[in-house]
Amino acid sequence: GAGVSQSPSNKVTEKGKDVELRCDPISGHTALYWYRQSLGQGLEFLIYFQGNSAPDKSGLPSDRFSAERTGGSVSTLTIQRTQQEDSAVYLCASSLWISSTDTQYFGPGTRLTVL
Amino acid sequence: ELKVEQNPLFLSMQEGKNYTIYCNYSTTSDRLYWYRQDPGKSLESLFVLLSNGAVKQEGRLMASLDTKARLSTLHITAAVHDLSATYFCAVFMDSNYQLIWGAGTKLIIKP
């Protein structure tokens, strides 16, 4: 079956521009997560959704970052006025429920480069 | 604040050898995950450990969890080149549904 998909796979942008990253979770998965992975580093949790709701936005690095999810499916992560330190791979994952026992399945990621 | 520490961060070994990667974490949790990441690829789930004393094995990899010691191990038996990858452990925080990740162990297995 289809896994988690993300688009674009690569995005190069100029400092100060806005970017929008998309995540399409596995069908039927109610929980969706966004992470950021900087070069050679582990993962930094950004935000999760249970359905369309994101109860805790404290993991977002700054107010330039926002995320939404509609229809309990596709999610978009928007970064406004991008900065060079935003360069990273942005990973999306989904799981059946927001539960510690449910494995998170990861998408291929979007590599963002801010020039 | 939960911290997750892996060691070693880098490991180069010969095929056929055994080795163990360690994952220590700083607060109470009984949910731990191991993932594998190949260069330029996304993360692949290896094991989910859900209770103290849990042990899971898949091929040459075996993972265990000791919640009292706040320690998980990933043991590699008779390593083969195909196991070369970066391995991450991650601990689930019930309080905010976050997975807190270790920095990863880059494993290189030489033929």
Side-chain angles (χ1 to χ4, degrees):
Chain A
V4 178
S5 61
Q6 291 185 246
S7 62
S9 55
N10 276 286
K11 177 71 177 179
V12 180
T13 190
E14 292 180 348
K15 178 181 172 181
K17 301 281 190 184
D18 297 352
V19 296
E20 195 171 274
L21 312 180
R22 177 187 167 109
C23 172
D24 213 329
I26 293 172
S27 178
H29 279 194
T30 64
L32 185 147
Y33 313 80
W34 283 99
Y35 295 90
R36 179 167 72 174
Q37 186 176 31
S38 301
L39 185 64
Q41 301 296 313
L43 273 71
E44 175 189 4
F45 172 84
L46 299 179
I47 194 169
Y48 79 88
F49 288 87
Q50 177 60 45
N52 293 333
S53 173
D56 182 0
K57 300 181 180 179
S58 63
L60 296 174
S62 76
D63 58 8
R64 297 184 294 104
F65 286 71
S66 63
E68 65 174 16
R69 188 181 186 194
T70 55
S73 182
V74 172
S75 175
T76 53
L77 178 69
T78 301
I79 309 172
Q80 295 179 309
R81 305 180 304 280
T82 52
Q83 303 294 312
Q84 288 182 333
E85 61 262 30
D86 299 334
S87 296
V89 176
Y90 288 82
L91 290 163
C92 174
S94 71
S95 64
L96 195 58
W97 298 101
I98 184 76
S99 161
S100 62
T101 60
D102 286 333
T103 298
Q104 296 183 20
Y105 296 91
F106 281 80
T110 294
R111 182 174 298 278
L112 175 65
T113 304
V114 182
L115 301 176
Chain B
E1 179 188 348
L2 173 63
K3 292 186 179 178
V4 180
E5 293 184 350
Q6 284 184 239
N7 72 84
L9 298 182
F10 180 80
L11 178 59
S12 178
M13 56 194 290
Q14 296 292 129
E15 277 192 326
K17 299 290 187 182
N18 303 333
Y19 211 82
T20 300
I21 299 170
Y22 297 88
C23 175
N24 290 89
Y25 53 98
S26 62
T27 194
T28 303
S29 175
D30 56 1
R31 305 283 189 260
L32 191 137
Y33 297 75
W34 284 96
Y35 282 83
R36 167 182 173 150
Q37 186 175 38
D38 291 292
K41 305 288 186 181
S42 192
L43 291 112
E44 173 191 354
S45 176
L46 294 175
F47 301 108
V48 180
L49 302 169
L50 299 177
S51 62
N52 186 40
V55 177
K56 291 199 174 177
Q57 184 163 4
E58 180 74 32
R60 301 175 188 273
L61 299 177
M62 183 174 72
S64 66
L65 179 62
D66 181 343
T67 59
K68 294 179 181 177
R70 298 177 186 172
L71 171 68
S72 179
T73 61
L74 180 66
H75 187 73
I76 304 147
T77 302
V80 292
H81 179 66
D82 287 351
L83 292 178
S84 296
T86 299
Y87 293 85
F88 291 94
C89 64
V91 176
F92 189 87
M93 292 290 293
D94 285 318
S95 58
N96 57 12
Y97 302 107
Q98 288 191 24
L99 271 180
I100 308 299
W101 295 76
T105 296
K106 184 172 183 178
L107 177 64
I108 295 176
I109 300 169
K110 300 175 182 176

